[in-house]
Amino acid sequence: QHYFIQSNLRLVVMFDWLKDRYKKLFPEHQCAAIFILYVGLFLIHTLLVTSTQKDHKYEYNVATVVLLGEVAKLCASVCIQSWNTSFNELISIVKAERNLVWYYLVPAVLYCMYNNLLYVSLSGFDPASYYVLMQFRMVVTGVLFQIIFQKQLKKMQWISLIILTIGCVIKQLKLDGSEGLSFEFNIYLLLIFVQLLCSCFAGVYTESVTKSRGLGVSVMIQNVFLYIDSIFCNLFLLACNGKLFTFLNQENITPILNAKVILIIILTTLIGINVSLFLRYMNSISKIFASATGMIFSAIFSLLIFGIPIGLNKMISICFILVALYLYSSDPVNNQPSKSDIDKARKAAEVKVMGSEHV
């Protein structure tokens, strides 16, 4: 009986501990669903993209798929917003908040630069070296988060970020020495640094706009401006490469009319919507840890579906990631605006919309 009481007490203590960690990680009820969906969608997307490769190449035009994904995200955002808003109200809101299009031009341009530099960087580095260098975006995101939000991360948050970075670097290493790494300083190393900054700054900046200038505006309305800018930037990029009038020809469209590729575009759309909600209700730092959580499940499902073995490096990496998640969950970043600030911003946005209707 004494043992039974002790066991129950341990269970109660463990339950309280888990409940405390849960509340810290997910301050609002929707946060848990957003986090789980983020991990799940990226996992399915990664596995699906891997299944469309043949000899590490794609039979479809990647640029066309990316652009169609941006168009699909725009349509999805409009449809979701239209669920509770009439078409005339939607036009009024877009008209009232039209200046947001300039704010979201910044991340749109940065993401375009990132996608373009990806191919240039891979041409100058072997894949292992490239992906090891890109893992430092976690620490860079932490630095940019402090600069943009003028909020210092705590010691434990930095420790968890550094452990997470080490874990992700280990995942990319070949511990048997079969594939060496090369970090010779050259123009390609500089371009990787620029690419890394583009990715990190775009994410943190988008979160900043969402929680400041766009605080009183619906997330879907903000998405409309972001995806309009993204479509424009992608079209501009295609024009610069001389492919503006060929990316939708029969040669590029036919391979896309495939169930897997169409599903990739749908998943890309869902991921885009999910990321916007993630940055609104959580933050860029927590998103890094969600991505790392996805890496664990990706390794497991890659083994089960594709037979890709979980090597020693991945096992060590998973251990580091789990330790980082454990430490981070004890004191996660909380960057949410107060309810009073949100209410004020919404009232100001409503006044602005009413003013635009009378213009």
Side-chain angles (χ1 to χ4, degrees):
Q1 187 177 1
H2 178 69
Y3 176 77
F4 178 75
I5 293 171
Q6 280 189 326
S7 298
N8 282 343
L9 283 173
R10 289 194 192 101
L11 287 173
V12 170
V13 170
M14 184 178 290
F15 178 78
D16 288 340
W17 179 82
L18 288 171
K19 188 177 179 181
D20 179 64
R21 293 288 174 107
Y22 180 87
K23 284 183 177 180
K24 286 180 178 178
L25 273 173
F26 309 119
E28 298 183 52
H29 294 299
Q30 64 265 37
C31 292
I34 292 169
F35 189 97
I36 293 168
L37 275 173
Y38 180 87
V39 174
L41 288 171
F42 263 101
L43 172 62
I44 297 169
H45 184 266
T46 302
L47 295 173
L48 194 61
V49 169
T50 302
S51 71
T52 62
Q53 290 180 352
K54 286 189 177 179
D55 298 324
H56 301 287
K57 293 182 179 179
Y58 303 103
E59 295 184 340
Y60 52 87
N61 188 304
V62 175
T64 304
V65 172
V66 170
L67 183 57
L68 290 176
E70 296 301 310
V71 173
K73 290 175 192 176
L74 175 61
C75 294
S77 297
V78 171
C79 289
I80 294 171
Q81 182 62 37
S82 299
W83 188 263
N84 294 317
T85 309
S86 68
F87 181 75
N88 289 334
E89 288 175 326
L90 179 62
I91 296 300
S92 297
I93 296 170
V94 171
K95 183 181 176 182
E97 301 293 346
R98 59 186 178 276
N99 286 336
L100 277 174
V101 76
W102 303 112
Y103 285 88
Y104 280 110
L105 185 60
V106 175
V109 170
L110 290 173
Y111 281 130
C112 261
M113 288 177 63
Y114 173 86
N115 292 330
N116 198 37
L117 288 172
L118 171 66
Y119 301 100
V120 179
S121 299
L122 284 173
S123 68
F125 276 96
D126 61 276
S129 300
Y130 170 78
Y131 286 112
V132 165
L133 287 168
M134 284 304 294
Q135 300 315 313
F136 290 97
R137 62 187 169 188
M138 298 174 183
V139 175
V140 174
T141 298
V143 173
L144 289 173
F145 185 89
Q146 290 191 151
I147 294 171
I148 292 176
F149 285 101
Q150 297 182 342
K151 182 178 182 179
Q152 294 295 314
L153 295 180
K154 298 176 183 177
K155 184 179 179 180
M156 187 57 71
Q157 292 165 351
W158 270 119
I159 291 172
S160 60
L161 267 177
I162 291 168
I163 292 174
L164 187 68
T165 302
I166 294 170
C168 292
V169 167
I170 290 173
K171 178 181 177 293
Q172 303 300 335
L173 296 177
K174 298 290 183 180
L175 299 182
D176 59 1
S178 61
E179 188 174 351
L181 301 177
S182 174
F183 298 129
E184 180 184 355
F185 184 80
N186 53 32
I187 187 65
Y188 293 105
L189 188 61
L190 181 63
L191 288 175
I192 284 182
F193 181 69
V194 173
Q195 184 186 358
L196 190 147
L197 281 177
C198 286
S199 173
C200 297
F201 187 81
V204 180
Y205 175 87
T206 302
E207 181 189 349
S208 174
V209 174
T210 301
K211 293 176 178 176
S212 56
R213 175 62 182 81
L215 184 58
V217 184
S218 162
V219 173
M220 295 306 140
I221 292 293
Q222 295 184 64
N223 283 346
V224 168
F225 292 114
L226 174 60
Y227 298 135
I228 287 173
D229 286 335
S230 295
I231 292 168
F232 172 79
C233 289
N234 278 285
L235 288 172
F236 180 76
L237 189 63
L238 286 168
C240 291
N241 292 328
K243 298 178 181 179
L244 183 60
F245 300 105
T246 60
F247 78 97
L248 284 178
N249 59 21
Q250 186 176 357
E251 183 182 350
N252 288 325
I253 289 296
T254 302
I256 293 173
L257 300 177
N258 174 288
K260 284 185 177 180
V261 181
I262 292 172
L263 188 55
I264 286 173
I265 294 173
I266 293 171
L267 283 170
T268 301
T269 304
L270 294 175
I271 288 169
I273 301 298
N274 179 267
V275 168
S276 65
L277 293 171
F278 203 117
L279 294 176
R280 171 62 185 84
Y281 292 105
M282 298 181 75
N283 54 74
S284 305
I285 306 297
S286 294
K287 189 162 75 72
I288 291 173
F289 284 89
S291 299
T293 304
M295 287 172 59
I296 297 174
F297 289 103
S298 178
I300 295 170
F301 281 95
S302 292
L303 171 65
L304 296 174
I305 297 173
F306 301 112
I308 300 173
I310 300 176
L312 178 62
N313 60 324
K314 288 183 181 178
M315 289 296 294
I316 296 172
S317 174
I318 287 171
C319 291
F320 271 85
I321 291 170
L322 288 173
V323 170
L325 286 168
Y326 172 79
L327 294 175
Y328 181 73
S329 66
S330 66
D331 191 13
V333 174
N334 188 348
N335 197 39
Q336 283 301 99
S338 65
K339 290 185 177 180
S340 60
D341 287 341
I342 295 173
D343 290 337
K344 287 178 184 177
R346 284 176 178 168
K347 287 177 182 177
E350 288 172 3
V351 171
K352 191 184 292 184
V353 171
M354 290 175 63
S356 68
E357 289 176 347
H358 295 294
V359 174

